[in-house]
Amino acid sequence: MNTPLSEGKDPAPGTLRLNPKLLFLSNDPLKMSQQLGAQALTLEQAAPLRDDISTDEITPIPVLAYFDDRLASYPYVGLKTGAVLPIGKDDVVSGGYEVTVAGKRYGKGSSREHSPLAEKKSGIRLVIAESFERIYRQNADNIGLLTSTDLSLIPRLLAGEEIAILELIGTRDALSTAILQSGGLLHYGRKHLQHAAHAPGNSTTGLPDRPLTFAEKIIHRHLLNAPGAERVDYGAGILMRADWRFIHEYYTGLCAHLLEDCFGDSYELHQPESILAFEDHLSYKRRSPAHLGQNLVGELDALSDAHRHFAQRHGLKAHGYLPDEGSEGISHAMMAESYALPGQVVVGTDSHTPHSGALGCLAFGVGTTDMANAFMTGSVRAAYPESLKISLLGRLSAGVTAKDLVLALLADSRIKAGLGVGKIFEFSGPAVAFLSTDERTTLTNMTAELGGFTGIVVPDSETVRFIKERRGHDFELEDWMSSDPGAVYADTIELDCRRIAPMIASPGDPGNGRNLTDLSERVSVDIAYGGSCTAGKRDDFDHYFDVIRWALDRGLKCHPNVQLFLQFGTVDVREYCEQQNYLPAFRAFGAELLQPACGACANCGPGSSVEREQVTVSAINRNFPGRSGPGQVWLASPPTVVASAVAGYITSFGALRAHHAQHALNAGEGLYA
């Protein structure tokens, strides 16, 4: 992992000659079977390639129990082609593949570094795709896994031709090149970053002489100087000082392993008082169908032990498990509640770290090696991003939420074409003033699904109110906290919020959005799940309660064929619901209440499906294959989830009320007939 690319088994210095037996990740299950049966294919024969391959598919959640050589057995075991999972344990390593080829937006979704690490450990040395997601490609760089978007390499590789490594690196930014040539990020950081100086422009006196977006102002106030990061322009590799760094238990063991491998046993972390350690993913592991079914609980206990040992050794502030079950809260949700402030840079080992961008900070997810480097140096790398303005006009109608808005945005043809990939989504316009901070976090949180670098909202009086309410802190906005008139945006998308209706996203991808009224047939539901960072906030539980109170007032409860799970995002949210006296209504309705945790969203607890035939309507942020179990997951807003639990099929709260009024339901008829 730590060998510079010019060394190793290459036939000549600085070149690669790879096994001409390429693994094409085809959308056709028959073609996948042919390859795994030792039949070599060309690019044309393998077409069409799979697009939108997520890290959930490359290394599904249960695989994250491993962070050593056992990962070699598991790349692509969650990859879905058609209706099947064609790649099994050890298929890649036993096949002798060294090159993987795929379509657009490869590596989307979670920031888990296990995905490129599993590929590399299985023997893959080069991944070629039409386009890559930012975090995946950065993670691959950090561990020395080569990536390329040049499909013209494929016939040369099939012919056994040597390829110059500089040809693969050539179009990359200077910082990525410097990292790759150093043998990985940790070696680069040890050499260049532990005493890096602040770059000109990290104060109010050295900013570029041009109008800037608010996010750009944050970037320039946090820049660092180091080799390969001298140029500050769109697309260039940059380094920034981080105000907050956080990690959760799925990645801490791997992080510690990487640090000890590079620095030995006696290393010290940079400013440990600004590092937070969260246990939020595995607190329900003993009720997780995925982990129980694969006998992984012992492995997961080892992850938790490694996490706690690391936090204790370095004196980190830790938010851990509750005495019985559950956690204090989901990491990025707690960051927004208790830590992040306008103008700060916040990085975490989770793709939904942009959650805190709703408070006006630059918050983004990084991989484990990036975090290990940030722990040692206080710095974090990025490519200087362009900004995309999302101008929200009008005001959302009653019963329509920020989740509906973001599902509508995900379904926009411009977003589907990749307009937002790698960009900062600046949510602005008159409609933002009507959105609470909780609702704004739904927008910034799901920039991960939109393909963005992060999402941000310029702080305003609502931000000040939120910080005062949640923390008792009187925060004062500063004059520089705004986007300048004339600031440069890559593009602008205008959305008239008055035209947004309750949305639904069909199984497979959050981008499969449509108006709920466009469903051509009734979709029966087995599981309804309300929770996760995206939908476990105070405002979300207000929505759950509104629907449940309406139902109980009319003698209705959860449909007998539906299991409803409501999971708090943090202890603060649970205490809020207790103060509001919501819990008796939730229990009377028939909901199972779960303590804070990532839970079923990450296939880590109750609410996950256990059979392919099961249908879930869920308020989580992504529905990639296998994300919440083997069943079919439809994404929806909090009120739609609970309304569907009443009806037994997917429906909006508005449609449910209209149906009830029209038929004047009697006990045992109508909805449950």
Side-chain angles (χ1 to χ4, degrees):
M1 182 185 304
N2 298 319
T3 303
L5 289 175
S6 59
E7 300 176 8
K9 65 176 184 178
D10 305 327
T15 65
L16 290 174
R17 179 186 288 128
L18 300 171
N19 187 336
K21 183 182 174 186
L22 279 59
L23 178 61
F24 294 95
L25 301 183
S26 172
N27 204 37
D28 185 335
L30 177 59
K31 294 174 181 178
M32 291 301 303
S33 297
Q34 290 172 335
Q35 293 181 86
L36 296 171
Q39 180 178 343
L41 300 180
T42 65
L43 174 61
E44 293 74 17
Q45 291 169 335
L49 297 175
R50 254 295 309 272
D51 293 329
D52 299 306
I53 295 174
S54 72
T55 52
D56 287 272
E57 295 181 84
I58 301 172
T59 47
I61 287 285
V63 177
L64 304 194
Y66 310 123
F67 55 86
D68 51 25
D69 289 343
R70 289 174 294 177
L71 282 170
S73 297
Y74 296 103
Y76 316 128
V77 293
L79 178 74
K80 194 169 187 179
T81 59
V84 300
L85 303 174
I87 299 178
K89 179 183 176 184
D90 292 322
D91 280 350
V92 177
V93 68
S94 64
Y97 301 103
E98 293 185 323
V99 181
T100 296
V101 183
K104 300 180 180 67
R105 290 192 69 184
Y106 186 83
K108 65 189 292 185
S110 167
S111 61
R112 64 191 67 165
E113 194 158 331
H114 296 68
S115 294
L117 193 57
E119 290 172 302
K120 185 175 182 183
K121 285 183 176 293
S122 74
I124 299 296
R125 304 184 67 197
L126 170 65
V127 179
I128 300 175
E130 294 178 58
S131 62
F132 290 94
E133 289 293 284
R134 174 190 66 86
I135 298 179
Y136 170 86
R137 197 171 201 189
Q138 190 162 304
N139 288 342
D141 290 349
N142 290 343
I143 64 170
L145 176 65
L146 290 165
T147 60
S148 176
T149 57
D150 183 2
L151 271 65
S152 70
L153 293 171
I154 293 171
R156 297 167 60 189
L157 291 165
L158 289 172
E161 181 179 333
E162 292 182 15
I163 308 292
I165 291 172
L166 285 178
E167 185 177 354
L168 297 172
I169 298 176
T171 59
R172 307 298 301 282
D173 64 85
L175 180 56
S176 296
T177 300
I179 289 168
L180 285 165
Q181 291 181 328
S182 296
L185 179 62
L186 292 180
H187 289 277
Y188 172 89
R190 181 171 58 182
K191 183 176 181 181
H192 298 298
L193 294 180
Q194 289 183 302
H195 305 288
H198 284 186
N202 66 352
S203 69
T204 57
T205 59
L207 296 176
D209 186 21
R210 63 176 176 85
L212 298 173
T213 67
F214 173 53
E216 287 179 310
K217 293 178 184 179
I218 298 175
I219 290 171
H220 283 276
R221 283 166 171 78
H222 289 77
L223 283 175
L224 296 172
N225 257 333
E230 299 90 349
R231 186 174 72 90
V232 181
D233 197 4
Y234 297 121
I238 59 173
L239 292 158
M240 291 179 283
R241 172 182 55 83
D243 296 288
W244 291 106
R245 296 154 287 163
F246 71 86
I247 194 166
H248 63 71
E249 77 271 39
Y250 252 132
Y251 302 130
T252 314
L254 177 57
C255 183
H257 172 75
L258 294 170
L259 288 172
E260 290 171 10
D261 186 50
C262 184
F263 297 100
D265 296 330
S266 58
Y267 63 89
E268 297 295 331
L269 304 187
H270 178 83
Q271 296 180 350
E273 67 276 8
S274 62
I275 299 173
L276 297 162
F278 293 93
E279 291 183 272
D280 59 3
H281 276 64
L282 299 176
S283 52
Y284 271 96
K285 56 181 173 285
R286 284 173 171 77
R287 293 185 60 191
S288 168
H291 298 121
L292 290 171
Q294 298 186 50
N295 296 315
L296 290 174
V297 172
E299 300 283 355
L300 301 181
D301 284 339
L303 289 183
S304 292
D305 290 343
H307 172 88
R308 294 172 188 175
H309 175 75
F310 184 83
Q312 291 168 1
R313 172 184 170 182
H314 297 286
L316 306 183
K317 185 169 185 178
H319 292 284
Y321 294 162
L322 298 175
D324 295 323
E325 61 182 17
S327 303
E328 291 181 56
I330 300 171
S331 55
H332 30 287
M334 291 194 72
M335 289 303 300
E337 282 182 354
S338 304
Y339 295 103
L341 289 171
Q344 293 184 331
V345 170
V346 177
V347 292
T349 53
D350 197 289
S351 58
H352 291 110
T353 301
H355 188 97
S356 293
L359 278 79
C361 60
L362 191 77
F364 55 96
V366 299
T368 314
T369 304
D370 270 302
M371 187 55 71
N373 175 67
F375 282 171
M376 292 300 296
T377 67
S379 68
V380 63
R381 69 178 286 218
Y384 192 102
E386 295 181 290
S387 291
L388 179 65
K389 179 182 280 190
I390 309 298
S391 184
L392 303 177
L393 309 177
R395 184 174 182 176
L396 290 173
S397 303
V400 180
T401 71
K403 181 64 172 293
D404 298 302
L405 197 161
V406 77
L407 289 178
L409 189 58
L410 276 158
D412 188 286
S413 60
R414 293 163 290 185
I415 295 297
K416 283 179 169 290
L419 180 63
V421 172
K423 295 183 177 65
I424 297 171
F425 281 66
E426 182 185 296
F427 295 96
S428 61
V432 172
F434 298 108
L435 295 176
S436 69
T437 301
D438 272 0
E439 284 285 81
R440 294 175 184 183
T441 62
T442 298
L443 301 180
T444 58
N445 177 294
M446 290 190 65
T447 54
E449 284 65 49
L450 292 162
F453 172 70
T454 190
I456 197 166
V457 178
V458 173
D460 57 11
S461 59
E462 160 58 20
T463 315
V464 173
R465 181 206 65 79
F466 178 89
I467 294 171
K468 176 67 173 178
E469 177 189 82
R470 304 298 172 94
R471 308 180 200 173
H473 174 52
D474 292 310
F475 183 84
E476 294 186 7
L477 300 176
E478 299 178 29
D479 291 342
W480 67 272
M481 293 179 173
S482 64
S483 291
D484 296 331
V488 175
Y489 295 89
D491 212 327
T492 298
I493 292 179
E494 291 188 349
L495 284 180
D496 186 347
C497 292
R498 293 165 297 191
R499 299 175 65 88
I500 304 296
M503 296 285 295
I504 200 80
S506 58
D509 195 276
N512 296 337
R514 66 183 97 167
N515 286 344
L516 217 164
T517 54
D518 292 340
L519 283 179
S520 58
E521 57 185 34
R522 181 173 288 184
V523 178
S524 297
V525 171
D526 301 295
I527 299 169
Y529 177 83
S532 80
C533 54
T534 314
K537 308 178 297 295
R538 290 187 184 188
D539 280 21
D540 302 314
F541 274 84
D542 289 341
H543 288 303
Y544 300 139
F545 178 74
D546 287 344
V547 179
I548 285 173
R549 179 179 59 186
W550 175 90
L552 291 175
D553 286 348
R554 288 154 183 80
L556 300 171
K557 293 186 178 182
C558 186
H559 192 282
N561 295 336
V562 178
Q563 290 179 286
L564 172 63
F565 300 89
L566 297 178
Q567 188 156 28
F568 308 107
T570 66
V571 167
D572 174 86
V573 174
R574 184 194 67 196
E575 292 176 348
Y576 167 79
C577 291
E578 290 171 346
Q579 294 163 4
Q580 298 296 114
N581 201 32
Y582 288 172
L583 304 189
F586 293 157
R587 295 188 178 104
F589 180 75
E592 180 174 348
L593 300 179
L594 299 171
Q595 298 301 324
C598 291
C601 178
N603 202 15
C604 291
S608 302
S609 61
V610 295
E611 299 175 357
R612 291 186 181 183
E613 295 74 24
Q614 288 182 300
V615 174
T616 299
V617 59
S618 179
I620 64 176
N621 39 43
R622 52 181 58 145
N623 58 346
F624 302 138
R627 174 72 185 183
S628 289
Q632 303 298 304
V633 178
W634 294 73
L635 297 184
S637 70
T640 293
V641 165
V642 181
S644 302
V646 176
Y649 57 87
I650 296 177
T651 186
S652 70
F653 186 26
L656 177 70
R657 286 180 295 183
H659 181 77
H660 183 275
Q662 180 180 357
H663 293 281
L665 298 176
N666 298 314
E669 298 180 1
L671 288 175
Y672 300 156

